[in-house]
Amino acid sequence: MSRTYDDTMFIDTFEHNYTWLNGFMRNVRRYPERTALIDPVLDLTLNYKDLNVKANQLAHALRDDGVVKDDVVMTALRNCPAFIYSYVGPRKIGAIVQPANYNLAPGELQLLIDFNRPKVFIYSANVRDAVAKAVNNCKWKPIRMVMADNLEGIELPEGHISYEDYTDNQEKTDPKMDFRPHIYDEVLRLCTSGTTALPKSVPINDINEVLSAHDYIMQCPLNIFDRCMNMTPWFHRGGVHIVGPCPCLYVGCSIVVMREFNPSKVLSWVEKYGITFIIGAPSTLEILSRSQLRHPSDLSSLKGLYTMGAPFEKAACEKYMETLTPNIFNGYGTTETLVNLQLRPYDLPDGAGSVGRSCIDDDVRVVRVYDDKKAEPDELIEKDDITQGEVIIQSPAKSTYCYYHNPELTEEKFYKGWMYTGDMATWNKDSIITISGRKDDMLVVSGENVYPSQIEEVLNEHPKVKDSLVTSVPDKVRGQVAVAYIIPEKEGVTVSELMDFCAHNKMLSVYKTPRYYCITDSIPHTATGKKMHHLMKKRALDDLKTGKLKRK
């Protein structure tokens, strides 16, 4: 293609040098003594020079095991120093790191290993049994199994090696690259849930990494003086890319390690370490708020509290802004595209309930829904806050627009540069979007579309209801009817009370009122806090057969 200038050097430099690793290495040179990582449990503090040494030692160990460019290094690590080392180290030799959900059942993990064929597997000691069982049943055998973060003093399985023995005697210098990086190289492979037991594998390339980092450096904004902590696992997209390892190590700020959510530790660590940004699921904010009211900590250092996975109700949002920080962000996105809609502190609390407007480099639309085809990207629904449509996302900076070795699902989800999310929503004249449910979660009751989130919002207003999830079961007369699973508050709630409450609620039409109820101890959520309606839909069929559902 003809240019008005000689673009040769620009293209060569941009495509081969504009990588996430080069950004990290700039910080190693610029701020070698600046704190990169704090692990309060281990009383460990690493600066950027020290962190780079740890990443180098892992890279050399992997290379000794024959790991080369485009090989997969899979991890099942809780938030810990080894996660950070494995995020940086493999890309120094061109390998792909694939963080897996450490909560996967052995059978799910087995499928993931056989599908992605990792050469080396690094895991936290606390999930040793599940990992060992999965690997024993795998057809594909990693050449090295490495157990890390062994706080509990757990015995190594036969044939496995400790992380310390694997890396401590390795060279500390930067490994010599025997390949030339490219911004389109896959460097990270993330997992997201699907309708089968095998999690979908989502490739992330190097320019996705750089621009994902830029997204949150810009939107928070982040600078070298910030200290960030995740209350959620780093293995998912929000964990790693929203004030997680990706933007923090790229901008040159500090990360505080939290292995599992503990409200008193969150609050005390914010005060002790001067943490400026934390991220967690919406449910954690309620727990934090209660803990802060009982035992207040100084949270004045907080510049932002980020949450995603579910919208806020206005009253809850107002409480969190008063008890925790007024600087709350609420985002919406996917593993495939990161966060694409956002409510910022100036949008709240008035915007609570919606998921906000498109992020800076993204375009999010709500389009028509057809039974037999995708809507075209320009087939927009009315901006009237009433009409329902499907959310589609254009996010060229943060998405590769595909799944690893899954052309069928790639074709189903991606079309003309857009991701078709399957989420149903309305929007208004200002393009502010409100999610109403999933296409596949939608109920059709007596020919009318019913969205679980609307019924859940009503149920959650009951003073004796802690949380709820609404799904459906078949009905001969109505086609489908709503089923409500209820987690009660401590004082408990009866099915009779719930029936009466719904019957007299002005926000519920008769056809939307649940016909069945079930009091339960828990509701399944994804790692990012989204309710797993598809799992409860399967359970509801079984509960109906066994008489566990109480009928209206």
Side-chain angles (χ1 to χ4, degrees):
M1 181 180 293
S2 175
R3 308 280 185 207
T4 58
Y5 65 98
D6 181 358
D7 61 4
T8 308
M9 187 177 294
F10 167 75
I11 291 173
D12 186 72
T13 304
F14 181 80
E15 291 187 348
H16 296 287
N17 288 5
Y18 197 42
T19 65
W20 185 93
L21 182 60
N22 276 348
F24 170 77
M25 292 306 297
R26 284 195 298 270
N27 294 331
V28 173
R29 294 188 296 272
R30 289 171 178 169
Y31 320 119
E33 305 301 326
R34 183 173 292 283
T35 298
L37 183 147
I38 300 169
D39 186 342
V41 172
L42 293 178
D43 193 23
L44 173 70
T45 300
L46 296 179
N47 59 32
Y48 272 84
K49 179 178 65 177
D50 297 331
L51 177 55
N52 187 51
V53 166
K54 294 289 189 181
N56 288 340
Q57 289 179 302
L58 175 57
H60 284 296
L62 294 170
R63 180 168 279 175
D64 285 351
D65 271 338
V67 177
V68 297
K69 190 176 186 305
D70 295 335
D71 281 340
V72 173
V73 177
M74 188 176 288
T75 66
L77 291 164
R78 55 190 173 187
N79 295 6
C80 64
F83 188 105
I84 302 293
Y85 310 154
S86 68
Y87 184 74
V88 181
R91 64 185 80 205
K92 286 175 173 270
I93 58 172
I96 300 161
V97 63
Q98 182 169 20
N101 183 341
Y102 53 75
N103 294 313
L104 289 178
E108 295 173 300
L109 193 54
Q110 175 191 338
L111 290 173
L112 197 65
I113 293 169
D114 281 336
F115 184 74
N116 289 279
R117 299 163 68 91
K119 272 196 174 178
V120 174
F121 194 111
I122 307 171
Y123 64 94
S124 293
N126 64 307
V127 293
R128 179 201 65 176
D129 292 346
V131 169
K133 181 181 278 189
V135 172
N136 287 341
N137 292 326
C138 281
K139 296 177 182 177
W140 172 262
K141 303 294 183 184
I143 62 174
R144 186 75 68 179
M145 297 294 300
V146 183
M147 188 166 79
D149 202 44
N150 193 359
L151 303 182
E152 301 83 0
I154 294 173
E155 184 179 351
L156 274 168
E158 185 178 353
H160 295 208
I161 187 173
S162 73
Y163 188 89
E164 292 73 21
D165 287 342
Y166 189 54
T167 62
D168 280 359
N169 293 323
Q170 291 289 338
E171 292 182 44
K172 298 180 179 180
T173 56
D174 295 310
K176 184 178 180 180
M177 284 191 174
D178 55 7
F179 67 100
R180 195 176 186 206
H182 194 281
I183 58 173
Y184 297 156
D185 287 342
E186 183 184 5
V187 292
L188 183 70
R189 188 176 297 168
L190 297 174
C191 302
T192 185
S193 58
T195 56
T196 66
L198 174 65
K200 303 191 293 284
S201 293
V202 179
I204 307 293
N205 64 34
D206 218 323
I207 195 64
N208 291 154
E209 286 276 88
V210 170
L211 296 178
S212 293
H214 282 192
D215 207 31
Y216 278 88
I217 292 167
M218 177 169 50
Q219 294 201 59
C220 287
L222 288 176
N223 63 60
I224 60 173
F225 300 106
D226 283 311
R227 286 191 169 175
C228 303
M229 182 173 70
N230 284 67
M231 300 182 290
T232 60
W234 284 328
F235 61 69
H236 59 74
R237 186 81 189 260
V240 76
H241 285 135
I242 303 174
V243 298
C246 177
C248 290
L249 298 180
Y250 193 86
V251 79
C253 66
S254 307
I255 297 171
V256 179
V257 175
M258 171 159 277
R259 287 168 176 78
E260 56 185 4
F261 174 68
N262 180 301
S264 61
K265 285 183 179 179
V266 170
L267 298 170
S268 65
W269 290 358
V270 169
E271 179 175 341
K272 180 177 180 179
Y273 297 107
I275 292 170
T276 54
F277 287 94
I278 57 177
I279 174 175
S283 57
T284 61
L285 270 61
E286 178 63 29
I287 301 169
L288 279 182
S289 179
R290 293 177 184 177
S291 184
Q292 175 69 357
L293 288 170
R294 288 194 302 268
H295 306 288
S297 294
D298 180 1
L299 306 182
S300 59
S301 64
L302 279 180
K303 292 162 56 178
L305 197 169
Y306 205 100
T307 184
M308 63 180 296
F312 286 129
E313 295 174 3
K314 186 176 180 180
C317 184
E318 289 174 335
K319 179 169 68 172
Y320 307 150
M321 294 176 76
E322 181 177 348
T323 57
L324 300 173
T325 175
N327 305 317
I328 292 178
F329 299 76
N330 188 214
Y332 163 92
T334 69
T335 301
E336 297 85 344
T337 59
L338 190 49
V339 172
N340 315 105
L341 293 164
Q342 189 165 259
L343 289 165
R344 297 159 180 84
Y346 55 75
D347 295 312
L348 296 169
D350 292 343
S354 76
V355 287
R357 301 177 182 86
S358 299
C359 294
I360 295 169
D361 286 331
D362 301 321
D363 191 2
V364 184
R365 299 177 179 179
V366 188
V367 298
R368 302 193 181 281
V369 176
Y370 299 102
D371 291 333
D372 57 346
K373 64 176 183 177
K374 291 183 179 71
E376 292 296 319
D378 59 356
E379 290 189 89
L380 308 181
I381 64 164
E382 292 76 8
K383 293 186 173 183
D384 57 9
D385 249 346
I386 298 172
T387 308
Q388 302 276 348
E390 181 179 3
V391 176
I392 64 171
I393 297 168
Q394 188 174 71
S395 184
K398 297 173 288 189
S399 178
T400 54
Y401 289 98
C402 71
Y403 298 102
Y404 174 70
H405 280 194
N406 197 333
E408 295 82 9
L409 191 59
T410 296
E411 184 178 358
E412 177 187 330
K413 282 289 187 179
F414 301 104
Y415 178 64
K416 292 187 176 180
W418 295 81
M419 179 184 176
Y420 284 65
T421 66
D423 285 333
M424 301 295 291
T426 61
W427 60 350
N428 65 17
K429 61 183 178 59
D430 298 316
S431 297
I432 294 174
I433 292 175
T434 301
I435 303 297
S436 53
R438 294 280 302 166
K439 279 173 66 177
D440 47 7
D441 294 334
M442 184 180 72
L443 288 60
V444 182
V445 181
S446 299
E448 297 287 343
N449 294 344
V450 178
Y451 297 92
S453 58
Q454 181 186 356
I455 306 173
E456 290 163 2
E457 185 173 350
V458 170
L459 289 166
N460 291 347
E461 291 174 356
H462 194 290
K464 294 183 181 180
V465 172
K466 186 176 181 180
D467 201 5
S468 63
L469 182 148
V470 172
T471 183
S472 66
V473 291
D475 183 86
K476 292 181 179 178
V477 176
R478 302 169 185 84
Q480 291 178 312
V481 292
V483 178
Y485 284 89
I486 305 294
I487 298 178
E489 287 287 2
K490 289 182 180 178
E491 62 268 39
V493 65
T494 66
V495 169
S496 178
E497 286 177 288
L498 292 168
M499 290 178 179
D500 185 66
F501 181 76
C502 290
H504 294 90
N505 193 289
K506 64 181 181 180
M507 299 304 296
L508 279 187
S509 304
V510 174
Y511 70 88
K512 295 180 180 179
T513 304
R515 304 288 294 182
Y516 294 95
Y517 297 81
C518 182
I519 309 297
T520 186
D521 293 328
S522 62
I523 288 170
H525 291 78
T526 67
T528 55
K530 294 180 181 178
K531 294 176 183 177
M532 301 176 76
H533 289 83
H534 67 282
L535 290 183
M536 295 302 280
K537 190 169 187 177
K538 295 175 183 176
R539 174 178 160 180
L541 288 173
D542 294 333
D543 288 349
L544 180 64
K545 294 174 184 176
T546 57
K548 292 181 182 178
L549 300 182
K550 305 301 180 183
R551 184 165 185 170
K552 179 181 175 183

